[in-house]
Amino acid sequence: LSAVVPRVTGMSAEDATTTLHDAGFEVKMGDGVYSNSVERGMVADEQPGQGERAAKWMSVTLQLSLGPHTVTVPSLLGKTQAEAEALLIDAGLEIGTVSALPSADFKKDHVMAQDPDKGKVAVGSKVAITISSGPPPVAMPPVEGLAEEDAIAQLENSKLVPVTSERYSLDVPRGMVISQSVKAGEPVPPGSRVSIVISLGPRSFPMPDVKGMSETAAIAKLRGMGLRISVSTAPGSTGSQVFGQQPSA
């Protein structure tokens, strides 16, 4: 005589034994097995399996669940993503969601957080990680109009690298900042190079002698040297020829 093996997976050992006896089978207990789906202490597997036809009074072997097979979550902090993945694989785990955030405490492209961060989890569980995108940006300080040493100090205090150049200026006193390459208030990564232009003051050179030249020629020559010109005409003069200048040559 034969009978169909009933389903006893998920039952307690006592209920499974009663069910199998009622169906005409004996019961044999096998070794426990890890299971992520069956509660600890309940039947995780039966052999012959449910639905199979077997001779009556033969033994059906039951294996009770030991619960999930757990492993310790390794610490991934300070590791690169590749190193973190290797550690998880070695532990029987998988990498989960990968996100990025700025951090002043962790190197760029290194793990700064993980979830879960410790304890035991089932084999095959996923661990989410957060990668450092580098230090958070800093606000560019306003340095135009400051003395060179003050501007450099402000930039260095903001963890920026000042790069200086010089230019003549009629409007900005010597030694003061004329301009900056990054607008004040703009966010910039720490360590960025910021160019500032320092005034040399007005350019000086020997004053040319334009007496005796026509007004048009004198004006053209002086403007070509970057000078500002004010013209006045003496009473009774035709204004066609220069007969005096200030400053003098």
Side-chain angles (χ1 to χ4, degrees):
L1 293 176
S2 64
V4 175
V5 177
R7 173 185 172 87
V8 295
T9 302
M11 293 183 181
S12 66
E14 183 179 357
D15 289 344
T17 299
T18 299
T19 300
L20 289 169
H21 282 170
D22 290 346
F25 297 101
E26 295 295 328
V27 173
K28 179 182 177 182
M29 302 304 297
D31 294 333
V33 292
Y34 290 109
S35 173
N36 292 331
S37 58
V38 179
E39 184 181 344
R40 181 181 179 89
M42 300 299 183
V43 177
D45 190 38
E46 56 184 291
Q47 291 297 329
Q50 62 166 338
E52 294 185 26
R53 182 167 288 276
K56 279 196 170 188
W57 310 118
M58 77 168 291
S59 293
V60 175
T61 301
L62 301 181
Q63 290 182 287
L64 300 185
S65 171
L66 298 175
H69 185 187
T70 60
V71 293
T72 301
V73 178
S75 175
L76 309 176
L77 300 184
K79 306 296 184 184
T80 65
Q81 182 172 339
E83 290 171 339
E85 287 194 62
L87 285 172
L88 291 173
I89 290 171
D90 287 345
L93 303 172
E94 297 179 19
I95 194 162
T97 303
V98 179
S99 56
L101 286 174
S103 171
D105 301 318
F106 291 88
K107 292 181 181 179
K108 179 178 170 63
D109 297 326
H110 288 65
V111 178
M112 58 179 283
Q114 64 183 86
D115 183 28
D117 60 350
K118 59 183 178 179
K120 289 184 175 292
V121 295
V123 169
S125 296
K126 292 185 177 182
V127 178
I129 61 172
T130 303
I131 303 292
S132 169
S133 59
V138 297
M140 174 67 193
V143 296
E144 289 183 9
L146 296 182
E148 179 179 2
E149 60 182 17
D150 294 335
I152 289 175
Q154 282 214 25
L155 292 172
E156 290 179 342
N157 288 339
S158 297
K159 302 187 186 309
L160 300 173
V161 180
V163 179
T164 62
S165 60
E166 296 176 322
R167 193 175 75 204
Y168 290 104
S169 172
L170 294 175
D171 304 310
V172 180
R174 182 181 181 86
M176 310 298 279
V177 178
I178 299 173
S179 63
Q180 58 191 76
S181 61
V182 180
K183 185 178 178 181
E186 287 191 1
V188 287
S192 296
R193 295 166 65 87
V194 177
S195 298
I196 56 175
V197 180
I198 310 301
S199 173
L200 292 172
R203 176 182 293 177
S204 60
F205 46 81
M207 183 67 191
D209 187 355
V210 294
K211 293 192 299 294
M213 298 176 64
S214 69
E215 178 183 355
T216 302
I219 289 174
K221 181 172 183 177
L222 294 173
R223 282 182 176 166
M225 300 178 74
L227 298 173
R228 297 174 181 174
I229 303 157
S230 175
V231 179
S232 59
T233 303
S237 170
T238 61
S240 60
Q241 190 178 45
V242 178
F243 67 86
Q245 66 182 72
Q246 184 63 39
S248 58

